[in-house]
Amino acid sequence: MSQKEKYQSIIRRFYNGTASDKDMQLIQKMMDDAEFLAAWEEVWSISVPAKPSANTADQEKLFDKVMHDERVIADRTIHAVRHSNRYRRLWRYAGAVAMFLLTIAIAFWVYHDPKKEALLVAEQQNEVEEVLPGKERAMIVLNNGKSIDLEALPGDTTLQMEGFCIHKSRDGIISYQADKDYQTAGRLVYNRIVTPKGGEYALLLPDGTKVWLNAVTTLRYPVVFDDKERVVQMEGEAYFEVSKAERHGKRIPFIVETGKQRLEVLGTVFNLNTYTNDLVTTLVEGKVKLSFSGTDAADKILEANDQVRFDREKERYTYAKVDPLYFTSWKNGNFAFSNTDVHQVMEDIARWYDIEVIYKLSSQHIRFSGRISRYENIDKMLELIAMTGEVRFKREGRRVYVLDE
């Protein structure tokens, strides 16, 4: 991961409200760093924080009030915020930096004055219920049935288990390391990682394969792989970057089982989606072999940009050449649609924002194309979709109505 990507990961955690104390300390230190501010502006261009919700004029007044508060000026831990004239210019000409400073300042302002915290809480209670985008949330379920809440687990933490350890990096990535004796014991012990609605997570498997899990996804895997084949089971949606593995000069295949479909790969990148009746396999690079146990469907070899949709009810598949961007953009923090049915669009949004969608449409053939950040404010996202002129939306808390225009 490049330095820029590390900065962006920290910035997204800040937007999502999951930044650790170490993240906040780094943010404060990097407020004068050009590379950090450039990363912040890039994230800002596709991610609009839901708070604060005041208009620009109100934000400037609040910014001035906070910046001139004696407690803020006196607090040496946030001395970088004291350059008010400098950042007022950035407020006018670089909205990303300004909102960053405002949000930081508000946090310290509220921290120093409980009365102001009560005032802000009272104001927020009068607003429409806020619906936040998803974030890094997942549980690991161990072989003994016990579970680990990865969101609550601090970064740079190692958990020692019997024969192996689980490590969460500062960037939030989970990885495994087995003891030598455990590696040669020849027994397969399985863990599962599960993401809820509004959750995503990245996992480094014991062989070095990296997996990104989308919302409502389960991946079952051994803490030490077999030396003949590497097999995992998955439901939901995940993006795989498979590492090559050999033993005595012979390759060790990597296999993903999803119901009746069995996908065999060697050193390749692909996306699997099992949310609907259609099991969708999209190959980004490399080569994979698909087989379908218990069906009459023939085996299929896929190469880059190939996609197979396997109908689980009819037990047959269709093949097409596609642009993988539209099927893997979630991994990079975006929704991307190309002539996609509005029901599919809203299903993806509902899974990520954890909302209920109710359709009141006279036409069932409305389609949408476009690219939107997954970290966008939900109301702004719905406005962008409504700009197509085909539909409009009405939101009541976590319930969204899709209506005729």
Side-chain angles (χ1 to χ4, degrees):
M1 182 181 289
S2 68
Q3 189 64 49
K4 177 181 176 182
E5 290 173 328
K6 289 179 180 178
Y7 286 158
Q8 291 177 333
S9 178
I10 293 170
I11 293 163
R12 289 193 183 100
R13 288 199 293 274
F14 175 77
Y15 277 156
N16 293 337
T18 60
S20 66
D21 290 343
K22 288 185 178 179
D23 290 338
M24 296 300 290
Q25 290 170 9
L26 177 64
I27 288 171
Q28 293 170 35
K29 290 179 181 177
M30 301 301 292
M31 287 166 64
D32 287 324
D33 185 88
E35 184 179 1
F36 181 81
L37 294 180
W40 190 286
E41 188 166 4
E42 186 171 325
V43 173
W44 172 270
S45 67
I46 60 170
S47 305
V48 179
K51 291 293 178 186
S53 59
N55 60 39
T56 303
D58 290 338
Q59 289 167 354
E60 286 210 66
K61 290 178 182 177
L62 182 54
F63 180 78
D64 283 338
K65 188 173 182 179
V66 173
M67 299 321 312
H68 291 89
D69 191 298
E70 294 179 356
R71 287 159 297 197
V72 173
I73 296 174
D75 193 331
R76 301 180 69 182
T77 65
I78 55 168
H79 65 278
V81 181
R82 294 169 59 188
H83 304 298
S84 58
N85 290 334
R86 176 181 180 187
Y87 288 117
R88 281 179 62 82
R89 289 194 297 272
L90 286 173
W91 181 280
R92 292 171 183 151
Y93 303 116
V97 179
M99 182 61 75
F100 165 51
L101 292 173
L102 173 62
T103 311
I104 286 287
I106 288 174
F108 281 101
W109 185 48
V110 169
Y111 174 78
H112 282 290
D113 194 337
K115 291 182 180 179
K116 291 183 174 64
E117 180 177 13
L119 179 61
L120 288 178
V121 170
E123 290 176 353
Q124 290 170 4
Q125 288 174 344
N126 293 325
E127 297 176 358
V128 177
E129 181 184 356
E130 184 179 21
V131 176
L132 297 175
K135 58 183 179 180
E136 291 182 338
R137 290 195 297 166
M139 301 282 288
I140 285 181
V141 181
L142 303 173
N143 192 53
N144 60 10
K146 294 183 179 180
S147 60
I148 302 168
D149 184 347
L150 297 181
E151 184 182 8
L153 187 68
D156 199 17
T157 298
T158 299
L159 301 177
Q160 184 62 54
M161 304 296 167
E162 185 180 349
F164 66 95
C165 63
I166 301 173
H167 179 71
K168 179 179 179 180
S169 70
R170 292 182 180 178
D171 298 327
I173 297 173
I174 295 298
S175 60
Y176 282 76
Q177 181 62 53
D179 300 340
K180 259 190 176 180
D181 294 340
Y182 198 81
Q183 292 178 6
T184 57
R187 47 180 187 151
L188 292 179
V189 174
Y190 286 87
N191 281 186
R192 284 184 295 130
I193 184 169
V194 182
T195 57
K197 280 188 174 183
E200 64 178 355
Y201 225 87
L203 170 71
L204 197 63
L205 292 175
D207 66 336
T209 292
K210 193 169 184 180
V211 187
W212 287 262
L213 288 83
N214 206 345
V216 195
T217 298
T218 298
L219 181 71
R220 181 175 180 265
Y221 52 92
V223 299
V224 176
F225 280 112
D226 184 77
D227 59 4
K228 295 180 180 178
E229 61 180 12
R230 300 168 287 165
V231 182
V232 300
Q233 291 86 33
M234 191 217 81
E235 285 293 331
E237 182 170 28
Y239 180 96
F240 292 79
E241 288 185 357
V242 180
S243 66
K244 294 182 179 180
E246 294 184 349
R247 181 174 175 82
H248 304 310
K250 185 178 180 181
R251 73 177 181 88
I252 303 175
F254 186 94
I255 296 166
V256 183
E257 295 178 341
T258 47
K260 292 183 178 181
Q261 177 177 289
R262 181 179 170 94
L263 182 153
E264 180 178 335
V265 304
L266 175 64
T268 193
V269 180
F270 61 95
N271 192 83
L272 273 178
N273 182 322
T274 71
Y275 287 138
T276 66
N277 177 61
D278 285 351
L279 199 166
V280 184
T281 304
T282 307
L283 191 62
V284 179
E285 61 183 57
K287 184 180 290 189
V288 303
K289 176 184 178 182
L290 292 179
S291 56
F292 307 91
S293 60
T295 76
D296 294 330
D299 293 355
K300 180 68 177 177
I301 302 294
L302 301 188
E303 298 183 346
N305 302 330
D306 286 351
Q307 184 181 84
V308 161
R309 290 177 174 268
F310 176 68
D311 186 319
R312 290 190 260 198
E313 288 184 1
K314 297 179 180 179
E315 296 187 346
R316 63 188 185 191
Y317 64 79
T318 57
Y319 162 82
K321 281 284 187 183
V322 299
D323 182 348
L325 167 70
Y326 293 102
F327 304 92
T328 62
S329 60
W330 65 267
K331 175 248 179 188
N332 296 317
N334 296 298
F335 292 110
F337 305 107
S338 177
N339 197 32
T340 305
D341 180 83
V342 68
H343 293 81
Q344 182 61 59
V345 171
M346 293 309 298
E347 283 178 19
D348 290 352
I349 292 172
R351 210 165 21 242
W352 182 239
Y353 286 88
D354 190 11
I355 58 173
E356 176 187 4
V357 180
I358 298 175
Y359 300 93
K360 293 190 175 182
L361 295 170
S362 57
S363 173
Q364 300 299 315
H365 304 289
I366 298 171
R367 311 190 79 81
F368 176 75
S369 296
R371 183 181 176 192
I372 312 172
S373 167
R374 277 160 57 101
Y375 303 99
E376 184 65 86
N377 173 280
I378 189 169
D379 293 314
K380 185 172 181 181
M381 173 176 289
L382 296 177
E383 286 178 14
L384 290 171
I385 297 175
M387 287 174 65
T388 61
E390 298 286 343
V391 295
R392 61 187 175 90
F393 300 95
K394 178 183 177 182
R395 182 168 74 85
E396 296 178 353
R398 291 195 168 272
R399 182 172 293 169
V400 173
Y401 293 88
V402 186
L403 310 169
D404 289 322
E405 179 54 50

